[in-house]
Amino acid sequence: MQKKARFPAQVLPAPAASPARVAAPGALARPAAASVRSSMAQPALTTSAAGWRQPQPAAAADASSQQGARERMVKRLATLPGMHPQVLEAMRQVPRHAFIDSALGGKAYDENSLPIGFGQTISKPSVVARMLSLLLSMASGGDRIAGRVLEIGTGCGYQAAVLSQIASEVYSIERLRGLHERARHNLRPMRVANLHLLFGDGMAGYASGAPYAAIVSAAGGDAIPQAWVEQLAMGGRIIAPTVAQGGAQVLMVLDKTPAGVRQQALEAVHFVPLKSGVS
């Protein structure tokens, strides 16, 4: 088996003739995406019961002070309907405050979306928990998604980190170079071996990693792109905000079955618009 590339991350060219293909012609079936496992010198690390690695002791001093707030967040989320216990456990392990500006650290575990730069935000904890619970609820294993997951819109990297705790392998693609670099910076010390970061046009998906057991989007378009449906494995699920009648966004669940594609519109949501191209 070919050894996966490490940092720096692969930069994907803009898609050419086929909107369903992002990688250059001749790319391997298993893309040389950058693993978040860096070969650079790392701070001392400690491993939690669930396998999440956090820096210590200097960098972990702040993490320790946030632990109580994180526990309260998880307990609050547990009172909401439809939350999967394994998703909540993953959110208990991943330090949300490590993905936002230190000046906003006091709000890290509140029910807020927070700015992360470049006109983007990190989603509210309840939104992350809801979307990932919907993904995990269709997993045959019950507490883990056995196949690959594609995330559209890496942002600061927080949701990708949570995904890495509940899926065998995660590919996360970001169209804004500045955010892609920020996510790499945020995730590098955590050495998440099953998470791969890509810079490219998320609207085209990432054909070289297909088929995906699940696809989740952090941006909303007028419809779910056909490229995503084509790259979804049979029996797989897409969770994505989609514009409904009247212009408001709703959370859309798309299931790919032998009988065809089935879509279900759920509650109203508010996400940044889905855009094509890179910047």
Coordinates of all heavy atoms in Angstrom, one line a residue, residues 110-193:
D110 N -20.4 27.9 24.6 CA -21.7 28.5 24.6 C -22.5 28.0 23.3 O -21.8 27.6 22.4 CB -21.7 30.0 24.7 CG -21.2 30.5 26.0 OD1 -21.0 29.7 27.0 OD2 -20.8 31.7 26.1
E111 N -23.7 28.2 23.3 CA -24.5 27.8 22.1 C -24.5 29.0 21.1 O -25.5 29.7 20.9 CB -26.0 27.5 22.5 CG -26.9 27.0 21.4 CD -26.4 25.8 20.6 OE1 -25.5 25.1 21.1 OE2 -26.9 25.6 19.5
N112 N -23.3 29.2 20.6 CA -23.1 30.3 19.6 C -22.3 29.8 18.4 O -21.5 29.0 18.5 CB -22.2 31.4 20.3 CG -23.0 32.1 21.4 OD1 -24.2 32.4 21.3 ND2 -22.3 32.4 22.5
S113 N -22.6 30.5 17.3 CA -21.7 30.4 16.2 C -20.7 31.6 16.4 O -21.1 32.6 16.8 CB -22.4 30.5 14.8 OG -23.1 31.7 14.8
L114 N -19.4 31.3 16.1 CA -18.4 32.3 16.4 C -17.5 32.6 15.1 O -17.3 31.7 14.3 CB -17.5 31.8 17.5 CG -18.1 31.6 18.8 CD1 -17.2 30.9 19.8 CD2 -18.6 32.9 19.4
P115 N -17.1 33.8 14.9 CA -16.3 34.1 13.7 C -14.9 33.4 13.8 O -14.3 33.3 14.8 CB -16.1 35.6 13.8 CG -16.2 36.0 15.3 CD -17.2 35.0 15.8
I116 N -14.5 32.9 12.6 CA -13.2 32.3 12.5 C -12.3 32.9 11.4 O -11.3 32.4 11.0 CB -13.3 30.8 12.1 CG1 -14.2 30.6 10.9 CG2 -13.9 30.0 13.3 CD1 -14.3 29.1 10.4
G117 N -12.8 34.1 10.9 CA -12.1 34.8 9.9 C -12.6 34.5 8.5 O -13.3 33.6 8.3
F118 N -12.2 35.4 7.5 CA -12.5 35.2 6.1 C -14.1 35.2 5.9 O -14.6 34.6 4.9 CB -11.9 33.9 5.6 CG -10.4 33.8 5.8 CD1 -9.9 33.2 6.9 CD2 -9.6 34.4 4.9 CE1 -8.5 33.1 7.1 CE2 -8.2 34.4 5.1 CZ -7.7 33.7 6.2
G119 N -14.8 35.9 6.8 CA -16.2 35.9 6.6 C -17.0 34.7 7.0 O -18.1 34.5 6.6
Q120 N -16.3 33.7 7.7 CA -16.9 32.4 8.0 C -17.0 32.3 9.5 O -16.5 33.1 10.3 CB -16.0 31.3 7.5 CG -15.6 31.4 6.0 CD -16.8 31.4 5.1 OE1 -17.5 30.4 5.1 NE2 -17.0 32.4 4.2
T121 N -17.8 31.3 9.9 CA -18.0 31.0 11.3 C -17.9 29.6 11.6 O -18.0 28.7 10.7 CB -19.5 31.5 11.8 OG1 -20.5 30.8 11.0 CG2 -19.6 33.0 11.5
I122 N -17.7 29.3 12.9 CA -17.8 27.9 13.4 C -19.2 27.7 13.8 O -19.8 28.5 14.5 CB -16.8 27.7 14.6 CG1 -16.9 26.2 15.1 CG2 -17.0 28.6 15.7 CD1 -15.8 25.9 16.1
S123 N -19.8 26.6 13.4 CA -21.2 26.3 13.7 C -21.5 26.2 15.2 O -20.6 25.8 16.0 CB -21.7 25.1 13.0 OG -21.6 25.2 11.6
K124 N -22.7 26.4 15.6 CA -23.2 26.2 17.0 C -22.9 24.7 17.4 O -23.1 23.8 16.5 CB -24.6 26.5 17.2 CG -25.0 28.0 16.9 CD -26.5 28.2 17.1 CE -26.9 29.6 16.8 NZ -28.4 29.8 16.9
P125 N -22.6 24.4 18.6 CA -22.4 23.0 19.0 C -23.6 22.2 18.7 O -23.5 21.0 18.3 CB -22.2 23.2 20.5 CG -21.6 24.5 20.7 CD -22.2 25.4 19.7
S126 N -24.8 22.7 18.9 CA -26.0 21.9 18.7 C -26.2 21.5 17.2 O -26.7 20.5 16.9 CB -27.3 22.6 19.1 OG -27.5 23.8 18.4
V127 N -25.7 22.4 16.3 CA -25.8 22.2 14.9 C -24.9 21.1 14.5 O -25.2 20.1 13.7 CB -25.6 23.4 14.1 CG1 -25.5 23.1 12.6 CG2 -26.7 24.5 14.3
V128 N -23.6 21.1 15.0 CA -22.6 20.1 14.7 C -23.2 18.7 15.2 O -23.1 17.7 14.5 CB -21.3 20.4 15.4 CG1 -20.3 19.3 15.2 CG2 -20.7 21.7 14.8
A129 N -23.6 18.7 16.5 CA -24.1 17.5 17.0 C -25.3 16.9 16.3 O -25.4 15.7 16.1 CB -24.5 17.7 18.5
R130 N -26.2 17.8 15.8 CA -27.4 17.4 15.1 C -27.0 16.7 13.8 O -27.5 15.6 13.4 CB -28.3 18.6 14.9 CG -29.4 18.4 13.9 CD -30.5 17.4 14.4 NE -31.7 17.5 13.6 CZ -32.6 16.5 13.5 NH1 -32.4 15.4 14.1 NH2 -33.7 16.7 12.8
M131 N -26.1 17.4 13.0 CA -25.8 16.9 11.7 C -25.0 15.6 11.8 O -25.3 14.6 11.0 CB -25.0 18.0 10.9 CG -25.8 19.2 10.6 SD -24.8 20.5 9.8 CE -24.6 19.8 8.2
L132 N -24.1 15.5 12.7 CA -23.3 14.3 12.8 C -24.1 13.1 13.4 O -23.9 12.0 13.1 CB -22.0 14.5 13.6 CG -21.1 15.6 13.1 CD1 -19.7 15.6 13.8 CD2 -20.9 15.5 11.6
S133 N -25.1 13.5 14.2 CA -26.0 12.4 14.8 C -26.8 11.8 13.6 O -27.1 10.6 13.6 CB -26.9 13.0 15.9 OG -26.1 13.3 17.0
L134 N -27.2 12.7 12.7 CA -28.0 12.2 11.5 C -27.1 11.3 10.7 O -27.6 10.3 10.1 CB -28.5 13.4 10.7 CG -29.7 14.2 11.3 CD1 -29.9 15.5 10.6 CD2 -31.0 13.3 11.3
L135 N -25.9 11.6 10.6 CA -25.0 10.7 9.8 C -24.8 9.4 10.5 O -24.9 8.3 9.9 CB -23.6 11.4 9.6 CG -23.4 12.5 8.6 CD1 -22.0 12.9 8.4 CD2 -24.0 12.1 7.2
L136 N -24.5 9.5 11.8 CA -24.2 8.2 12.5 C -25.4 7.3 12.7 O -25.3 6.1 12.9 CB -23.6 8.6 13.9 CG -22.8 7.5 14.6 CD1 -21.7 6.9 13.7 CD2 -22.1 8.1 15.9
S137 N -26.6 7.9 12.7 CA -27.8 7.1 12.9 C -28.0 6.1 11.7 O -28.8 5.1 11.9 CB -29.0 8.0 13.0 OG -29.3 8.7 11.8
M138 N -27.4 6.4 10.6 CA -27.6 5.4 9.4 C -26.4 4.4 9.4 O -26.4 3.6 8.5 CB -27.7 6.2 8.1 CG -26.6 7.3 7.8 SD -24.9 6.7 7.4 CE -25.2 6.0 5.9
A139 N -25.4 4.5 10.2 CA -24.3 3.6 10.2 C -24.6 2.2 10.6 O -25.3 2.1 11.7 CB -23.1 4.2 11.0
S140 N -24.2 1.2 9.9 CA -24.6 -0.1 10.2 C -23.9 -0.6 11.5 O -24.4 -1.4 12.2 CB -24.2 -1.1 9.1 OG -22.8 -1.0 8.8
G141 N -22.7 0.0 11.8 CA -22.0 -0.4 13.0 C -22.6 0.2 14.3 O -22.3 -0.2 15.4
G142 N -23.5 1.3 14.1 CA -24.2 1.9 15.2 C -23.4 3.0 15.9 O -24.0 4.1 16.1
D143 N -22.1 2.8 16.2 CA -21.4 3.9 16.9 C -20.2 4.4 16.1 O -19.4 5.2 16.6 CB -20.9 3.4 18.2 CG -19.9 2.2 18.1 OD1 -19.7 1.7 17.0 OD2 -19.4 1.8 19.2
R144 N -20.1 3.9 14.8 CA -18.9 4.4 14.0 C -19.3 4.2 12.5 O -19.9 3.2 12.1 CB -17.7 3.6 14.3 CG -16.4 4.2 13.7 CD -15.2 3.5 14.2 NE -13.9 4.1 13.7 CZ -13.4 5.2 14.2 NH1 -13.9 5.8 15.2 NH2 -12.2 5.6 13.6
I145 N -18.9 5.2 11.7 CA -19.2 5.1 10.2 C -18.0 4.3 9.7 O -16.8 4.8 9.7 CB -19.3 6.5 9.6 CG1 -20.4 7.2 10.2 CG2 -19.4 6.4 8.1 CD1 -20.5 8.7 9.8
A146 N -18.2 3.2 9.1 CA -17.2 2.3 8.7 C -16.4 2.8 7.4 O -15.2 2.5 7.3 CB -17.7 0.9 8.4
G147 N -17.1 3.5 6.5 CA -16.4 3.9 5.3 C -15.9 5.3 5.4 O -15.8 5.9 6.5
R148 N -15.5 5.9 4.3 CA -14.9 7.2 4.2 C -16.1 8.3 4.3 O -17.2 8.0 3.8 CB -14.2 7.4 2.9 CG -12.9 6.6 2.8 CD -12.3 6.9 1.4 NE -11.1 6.0 1.2 CZ -10.5 6.0 0.1 NH1 -10.8 6.7 -0.9 NH2 -9.4 5.2 0.0
V149 N -15.7 9.4 4.9 CA -16.7 10.5 5.0 C -16.0 11.7 4.3 O -14.8 12.0 4.5 CB -17.0 10.9 6.4 CG1 -17.9 12.1 6.5 CG2 -17.7 9.7 7.1
L150 N -16.8 12.4 3.5 CA -16.3 13.7 2.9 C -17.0 14.9 3.5 O -18.2 14.9 3.6 CB -16.6 13.7 1.4 CG -16.3 14.9 0.6 CD1 -14.7 15.2 0.6 CD2 -16.8 14.9 -0.8
E151 N -16.2 15.8 4.0 CA -16.8 17.0 4.6 C -16.5 18.2 3.6 O -15.4 18.4 3.1 CB -16.1 17.4 5.9 CG -16.7 18.7 6.5 CD -15.9 19.2 7.7 OE1 -14.6 19.1 7.7 OE2 -16.5 19.7 8.6
I152 N -17.6 18.9 3.3 CA -17.5 20.1 2.4 C -17.4 21.3 3.2 O -18.4 21.7 3.9 CB -18.7 20.2 1.4 CG1 -18.9 18.8 0.7 CG2 -18.5 21.3 0.4 CD1 -17.8 18.4 -0.2
G153 N -16.2 22.0 3.2 CA -16.1 23.2 4.0 C -15.4 22.9 5.3 O -16.0 22.7 6.4
T154 N -14.1 22.8 5.3 CA -13.3 22.5 6.5 C -13.4 23.6 7.6 O -13.5 23.3 8.8 CB -11.8 22.3 6.2 OG1 -11.7 21.4 5.1 CG2 -11.0 21.8 7.4
G155 N -13.5 24.8 7.1 CA -13.5 25.9 8.1 C -12.3 25.9 9.0 O -11.1 25.7 8.5
C156 N -12.5 26.0 10.3 CA -11.4 26.0 11.2 C -10.9 24.6 11.6 O -9.9 24.4 12.2 CB -11.8 26.8 12.5 SG -13.2 26.0 13.4
G157 N -11.6 23.6 11.2 CA -11.2 22.2 11.4 C -12.0 21.5 12.5 O -11.7 20.3 12.7
Y158 N -12.8 22.2 13.3 CA -13.4 21.6 14.4 C -14.3 20.4 14.1 O -14.2 19.3 14.7 CB -14.2 22.6 15.2 CG -15.0 22.1 16.4 CD1 -14.4 21.6 17.5 CD2 -16.4 22.0 16.3 CE1 -15.2 21.0 18.5 CE2 -17.2 21.4 17.3 CZ -16.5 21.0 18.5 OH -17.3 20.4 19.5
Q159 N -15.3 20.6 13.2 CA -16.2 19.6 12.8 C -15.4 18.4 12.2 O -15.8 17.2 12.5 CB -17.3 20.0 11.9 CG -18.3 19.0 11.5 CD -19.5 19.5 10.8 OE1 -20.5 19.9 11.4 NE2 -19.4 19.5 9.5
A160 N -14.4 18.6 11.4 CA -13.6 17.6 10.9 C -13.0 16.7 12.0 O -12.9 15.5 11.9 CB -12.5 18.1 10.0
A161 N -12.5 17.4 13.0 CA -11.9 16.7 14.2 C -12.9 15.8 14.9 O -12.6 14.7 15.3 CB -11.3 17.7 15.2
V162 N -14.1 16.3 15.1 CA -15.2 15.5 15.7 C -15.5 14.3 14.8 O -15.7 13.2 15.2 CB -16.4 16.4 16.0 CG1 -17.6 15.5 16.5 CG2 -16.1 17.5 16.9
L163 N -15.6 14.6 13.5 CA -15.9 13.5 12.5 C -14.9 12.4 12.6 O -15.2 11.2 12.5 CB -15.9 14.1 11.1 CG -17.3 14.5 10.5 CD1 -17.0 15.2 9.2 CD2 -18.2 13.3 10.3
S164 N -13.6 12.8 12.8 CA -12.5 11.8 12.9 C -12.7 10.8 14.0 O -12.1 9.7 14.0 CB -11.2 12.5 13.0 OG -10.9 13.0 14.3
Q165 N -13.5 11.2 15.0 CA -13.7 10.3 16.2 C -14.8 9.3 15.9 O -14.9 8.3 16.6 CB -14.1 11.2 17.4 CG -13.0 12.2 17.8 CD -11.8 11.5 18.4 OE1 -11.9 11.0 19.5 NE2 -10.7 11.5 17.7
I166 N -15.6 9.5 14.9 CA -16.8 8.7 14.6 C -16.8 8.0 13.3 O -17.7 7.3 12.9 CB -18.1 9.4 14.8 CG1 -18.3 10.6 13.8 CG2 -18.3 10.0 16.2 CD1 -19.6 11.2 13.7
A167 N -15.7 8.3 12.5 CA -15.6 7.7 11.2 C -14.2 7.0 11.0 O -13.2 7.5 11.6 CB -15.8 8.7 10.1
S168 N -14.2 6.0 10.1 CA -12.9 5.3 9.9 C -11.9 6.3 9.2 O -10.7 6.2 9.5 CB -13.1 4.1 9.0 OG -14.0 3.2 9.7
E169 N -12.4 7.1 8.3 CA -11.5 7.9 7.5 C -12.3 9.2 7.0 O -13.4 9.0 6.6 CB -10.9 7.2 6.3 CG -9.8 7.9 5.6 CD -9.1 7.0 4.6 OE1 -9.7 6.0 4.2 OE2 -7.9 7.3 4.2
V170 N -11.7 10.3 7.1 CA -12.3 11.6 6.8 C -11.5 12.4 5.8 O -10.3 12.6 6.0 CB -12.6 12.4 8.1 CG1 -13.3 13.8 7.7 CG2 -13.4 11.7 9.1
Y171 N -12.1 12.8 4.7 CA -11.5 13.8 3.8 C -12.3 15.1 4.0 O -13.6 15.1 3.9 CB -11.6 13.3 2.4 CG -10.6 12.2 2.1 CD1 -11.0 10.9 2.3 CD2 -9.4 12.4 1.6 CE1 -10.2 9.8 2.1 CE2 -8.5 11.4 1.4 CZ -8.9 10.1 1.6 OH -8.0 9.0 1.4
S172 N -11.6 16.2 4.2 CA -12.3 17.5 4.4 C -11.7 18.5 3.4 O -10.5 18.7 3.3 CB -12.1 18.0 5.8 OG -12.7 19.2 6.0
I173 N -12.5 19.1 2.6 CA -12.1 20.0 1.5 C -12.5 21.4 1.8 O -13.7 21.7 2.2 CB -12.6 19.5 0.2 CG1 -12.0 20.3 -1.0 CG2 -14.1 19.5 0.1 CD1 -12.1 19.7 -2.4
E174 N -11.6 22.4 1.6 CA -11.9 23.8 1.8 C -11.5 24.6 0.6 O -10.4 24.4 0.1 CB -11.1 24.3 3.1 CG -11.2 25.8 3.3 CD -12.6 26.3 3.5 OE1 -13.4 25.7 4.4 OE2 -13.0 27.2 2.8
R175 N -12.4 25.6 0.2 CA -12.1 26.4 -1.0 C -11.3 27.6 -0.7 O -10.8 28.3 -1.6 CB -13.4 26.7 -1.7 CG -14.4 27.6 -0.9 CD -15.6 28.0 -1.7 NE -15.3 28.8 -2.8 CZ -15.2 30.2 -2.7 NH1 -15.4 30.8 -1.5 NH2 -14.9 30.9 -3.7
L176 N -11.3 28.1 0.5 CA -10.6 29.3 0.9 C -9.2 28.9 1.4 O -9.1 28.2 2.5 CB -11.3 30.1 2.0 CG -12.7 30.6 1.6 CD1 -13.4 31.3 2.7 CD2 -12.6 31.5 0.4
R177 N -8.2 29.3 0.7 CA -6.8 28.9 1.1 C -6.5 29.3 2.6 O -5.8 28.6 3.3 CB -5.8 29.5 0.2 CG -4.4 29.0 0.4 CD -3.4 29.6 -0.5 NE -3.6 29.2 -1.9 CZ -3.0 28.1 -2.4 NH1 -2.3 27.3 -1.6 NH2 -3.3 27.8 -3.6
G178 N -6.9 30.5 2.9 CA -6.6 31.0 4.3 C -7.2 30.1 5.4 O -6.5 29.8 6.4
L179 N -8.4 29.7 5.2 CA -9.0 28.8 6.1 C -8.4 27.4 6.1 O -8.2 26.7 7.1 CB -10.5 28.7 5.9 CG -11.4 29.7 6.5 CD1 -12.9 29.4 6.3 CD2 -11.2 29.8 8.0
H180 N -8.1 26.9 4.9 CA -7.4 25.6 4.8 C -6.1 25.6 5.6 O -5.8 24.7 6.4 CB -7.1 25.4 3.3 CG -6.2 24.2 3.1 ND1 -6.5 22.9 3.3 CD2 -4.9 24.2 2.6 CE1 -5.5 22.1 3.0 NE2 -4.5 22.9 2.6
E181 N -5.3 26.7 5.5 CA -4.1 26.8 6.2 C -4.3 26.9 7.7 O -3.6 26.4 8.5 CB -3.3 28.0 5.8 CG -2.8 27.9 4.3 CD -1.8 26.8 4.1 OE1 -1.1 26.4 5.1 OE2 -1.7 26.4 2.9
R182 N -5.4 27.6 8.1 CA -5.7 27.8 9.5 C -6.1 26.4 10.1 O -5.7 26.1 11.3 CB -6.8 28.8 9.7 CG -7.2 29.0 11.2 CD -8.1 30.2 11.3 NE -7.3 31.4 11.0 CZ -7.8 32.7 11.0 NH1 -9.0 32.9 11.4 NH2 -7.0 33.7 10.7
A183 N -6.9 25.6 9.4 CA -7.3 24.3 9.9 C -6.1 23.4 10.0 O -5.9 22.7 11.0 CB -8.3 23.7 8.9
R184 N -5.1 23.5 9.1 CA -3.9 22.7 9.2 C -3.1 23.1 10.5 O -2.6 22.3 11.2 CB -3.0 23.0 8.0 CG -3.5 22.3 6.7 CD -2.5 22.7 5.6 NE -1.2 22.2 5.8 CZ -0.1 22.8 5.3 NH1 -0.2 23.9 4.5 NH2 1.1 22.3 5.5
H185 N -3.1 24.4 10.7 CA -2.4 24.9 11.9 C -3.1 24.4 13.2 O -2.4 24.0 14.2 CB -2.3 26.4 11.9 CG -1.8 27.0 13.2 ND1 -0.5 27.1 13.4 CD2 -2.5 27.6 14.2 CE1 -0.3 27.7 14.6 NE2 -1.5 28.0 15.1
N186 N -4.4 24.5 13.2 CA -5.2 24.1 14.4 C -5.0 22.6 14.7 O -5.0 22.1 15.8 CB -6.6 24.4 14.2 CG -6.9 25.9 14.2 OD1 -6.1 26.7 14.8 ND2 -8.1 26.3 13.7
L187 N -5.0 21.8 13.6 CA -5.0 20.3 13.8 C -3.7 19.7 13.9 O -3.6 18.5 14.4 CB -5.8 19.7 12.6 CG -7.3 19.9 12.6 CD1 -7.9 19.8 11.2 CD2 -8.0 19.0 13.6
R188 N -2.6 20.3 13.4 CA -1.3 19.7 13.3 C -0.9 19.1 14.7 O -0.4 18.0 14.8 CB -0.3 20.7 12.8 CG 1.1 20.0 12.7 CD 2.2 21.0 12.2 NE 2.0 21.3 10.7 CZ 1.6 22.4 10.2 NH1 1.4 23.5 11.0 NH2 1.5 22.6 8.9
P189 N -1.0 19.9 15.8 CA -0.5 19.3 17.1 C -1.3 18.1 17.6 O -0.9 17.4 18.4 CB -0.7 20.5 18.1 CG -0.8 21.7 17.2 CD -1.5 21.3 16.0
M190 N -2.5 17.9 17.0 CA -3.4 16.9 17.5 C -3.1 15.5 16.8 O -3.6 14.5 17.3 CB -4.9 17.3 17.4 CG -5.2 18.6 18.2 SD -6.8 19.2 17.9 CE -6.8 20.7 18.8
R191 N -2.4 15.6 15.7 CA -2.0 14.4 15.1 C -3.1 13.4 14.8 O -3.1 12.2 15.3 CB -0.8 13.7 15.9 CG 0.4 14.6 16.1 CD 1.4 14.0 16.9 NE 2.0 12.8 16.1 CZ 2.9 12.0 16.7 NH1 3.3 12.1 17.9 NH2 3.4 11.0 15.9
V192 N -4.1 13.8 14.1 CA -5.3 12.9 13.8 C -5.0 12.2 12.5 O -5.1 12.7 11.4 CB -6.5 13.8 13.6 CG1 -7.8 12.9 13.6 CG2 -6.7 14.8 14.8
A193 N -4.6 10.9 12.7 CA -4.0 10.1 11.6 C -5.1 9.8 10.5 O -4.7 9.6 9.3 CB -3.4 8.8 12.1

